[in-house]
Amino acid sequence: MKLTHASKTASKTLLAGLALLGTLALTACDNGDDGSDTAGPRPEPAASASADSGQDGGSGSSDKGSDSAGNGSGPGSGSSGNGSEGTAAGTGSNENGEVGICRSDELEVTAADNTTGKEEGIVTVAFKNGGGRDCAINGYAGVDLRTADGDTMSVDRNGEQARREILKDGETAAFNITFPVNNSGGSGVRIAKLLVTPPNETKTVAVAWPAGSLPVSGEASGPKLSVGPVGKVSDSPAG
């Protein structure tokens, strides 16, 4: 059967149309693959944005934490500060740039007889800072004398003005105890121990009494027992 020119043209058009449909079908398949590929990456920016947002939030929180720690303000710092202050009260740690008080456990307590007169005796009690940090000491130490018989005698303050001192590690502060020298010729009151409580502390340290006996009560007409405020020893070595 012979094809006319019109039939030939129609056949070519039909073949071209089929070829076009085939191409579109392939393109649709490709687009489906691309679409799935595209669909894959699209959540990625969202996930990335979420991650970035989370990181930013984390950084923000971290920055706030740093600010709180640095400035000593804010809820985080308040909680931490209060906890730290509680710890400082127990250990003497420095917090927020402030110098904590000198604790009994970090002070080396010694006593020496510095008596030079015949009427008034002087015992010097020294506090050497061995805590590895700066600490503050201010006021009067609590002082009791324990006799050889086991009795305890409290020593009153002399009323001098106290001054706050900062002790670096290795530095020393001291105070004097004045007492009447026993010139009675008798044995007097023998002191066995010196009980010292550093200023603003509650833990007492016992050291040996380095001086002689005290006159029996009622025999002394000269100086009375008294304790002076704690002061820094200017020539104490640091370290």
Side-chain angles (χ1 to χ4, degrees):
M1 172 177 158
K2 271 187 176 180
L3 295 175
T4 63
H5 178 72
S7 298
K8 290 179 180 179
T9 302
S11 297
K12 288 181 181 180
T13 302
L14 179 59
L15 291 173
L18 290 174
L20 179 59
L21 287 174
T23 303
L24 290 174
L26 291 173
T27 304
C29 292
D30 291 340
N31 287 342
D33 294 338
D34 292 342
S36 62
D37 292 341
T38 305
R42 283 181 182 172
E44 289 178 4
S48 176
S50 175
D52 291 343
S53 175
Q55 289 171 0
D56 290 342
S59 299
S61 301
S62 174
D63 290 343
K64 289 177 182 177
S66 297
D67 290 342
S68 297
N71 298 331
S73 59
S77 174
S79 301
S80 175
N82 291 338
S84 298
E85 287 175 4
T87 302
T91 63
S93 301
N94 299 340
E95 297 295 336
N96 300 323
E98 296 180 0
V99 178
I101 67 170
C102 298
R103 295 294 179 182
S104 297
D105 289 338
E106 59 189 357
L107 293 173
E108 179 185 343
V109 184
T110 57
D113 184 7
N114 286 319
T115 301
T116 57
K118 294 182 179 180
E119 298 294 331
E120 182 180 68
I122 297 175
V123 165
T124 301
V125 178
F127 295 126
K128 183 177 180 180
N129 179 14
R133 64 167 186 112
D134 294 356
C135 67
I137 195 164
N138 180 25
Y140 284 80
V143 177
D144 293 309
L145 304 182
R146 181 172 293 166
T147 69
D149 296 329
D151 297 327
T152 301
M153 305 167 54
S154 294
V155 183
D156 294 330
R157 302 174 178 181
N158 64 10
E160 293 179 7
Q161 181 66 41
R163 187 178 68 178
R164 184 174 185 265
E165 303 282 8
I166 302 297
L167 297 183
K168 296 183 181 298
D169 186 37
E171 289 187 331
T172 301
F175 67 92
N176 287 331
I177 302 170
T178 59
F179 63 94
V181 174
N182 180 22
N183 293 320
S184 66
S187 60
V189 179
R190 290 177 296 136
I191 306 299
K193 292 289 183 181
L194 177 59
L195 307 179
V196 181
T197 307
N200 303 305
E201 256 287 35
T202 58
K203 185 174 181 179
T204 299
V205 179
V207 295
W209 174 255
S213 63
L214 307 181
V216 177
S217 177
E219 293 182 356
S221 58
K224 304 296 182 183
L225 270 168
S226 66
V227 57
V230 176
K232 187 174 179 180
V233 178
S234 60
D235 59 349
S236 61

